[in-house]
Amino acid sequence: MHAPPRLTGLAELTRVRILWFSDWYDGPVTGLAVHDASEYWYVMVTEDYGEHWDFDPRIYVLHRLTPEELAVAWDAHRSFAALNMPGCMHTPPCPVASAIDAGELDALRERWPPDCEDAYLNAPAIGWFKAERTA
């Protein structure tokens, strides 16, 4: 997550649509969004790096990822969605497997641990946007 000073020098963006989330706490925290026909990683802005959820509506910073990073993010999203994990906010939603092996989720968490997205926090920021609460 980002602290409010991360917004310094960034423009407020409009017409940003969240496609999916990879982290959720009473609403999306991180994930992929689209702005001006391009996809970006979004990260929520909070006071005290997540100790307080003060902004309503929530505020997010958009980060430009490389094509390779976007491909990895989509691969992770589709893989978790296939196991019927929440995250899809796009239409049509990702396909879901009818039967899931108990070890598959553990294998995905090993392949894509939560900290694998940490590098996206330092990707170039293009601006910030507000999103209404979804919870």
Side-chain angles (χ1 to χ4, degrees):
M1 287 175 264
H2 291 302
R6 185 62 179 95
L7 300 173
T8 303
L10 296 177
E12 181 176 5
L13 305 172
T14 58
R15 295 184 301 275
V16 177
R17 183 173 46 91
I18 293 177
L19 298 173
W20 51 265
F21 61 86
S22 68
D23 193 8
W24 177 277
Y25 187 85
D26 291 340
V29 175
T30 59
L32 212 68
V34 65
H35 173 66
D36 283 345
S38 293
E39 295 174 345
Y40 299 94
W41 189 254
Y42 66 87
V43 177
M44 191 170 78
V45 176
T46 66
E47 294 288 348
D48 302 326
Y49 293 97
E51 295 299 317
H52 299 93
W53 308 84
D54 295 334
F55 300 106
D56 190 9
R58 287 186 175 191
I59 297 172
Y60 301 92
V61 174
L62 282 183
H63 294 274
R64 179 177 291 114
L65 300 184
T66 66
E68 294 79 17
E69 289 170 325
L70 283 170
V72 168
W74 269 107
D75 188 26
H77 168 69
R78 288 184 184 112
S79 296
F80 280 101
L83 295 182
N84 207 20
M85 297 298 294
C88 281
M89 297 175 76
H90 53 88
T91 303
C94 294
V96 176
S98 58
I100 299 167
D101 178 81
E104 287 179 295
L105 184 57
D106 289 337
L108 287 181
R109 287 186 173 140
E110 282 183 34
R111 184 174 177 192
W112 291 294
D115 60 355
C116 74
E117 299 169 352
D118 288 351
Y120 302 163
L121 290 168
N122 298 317
I126 67 152
W128 62 274
F129 71 99
K130 292 180 183 177
E132 294 301 321
R133 290 189 64 146
T134 57

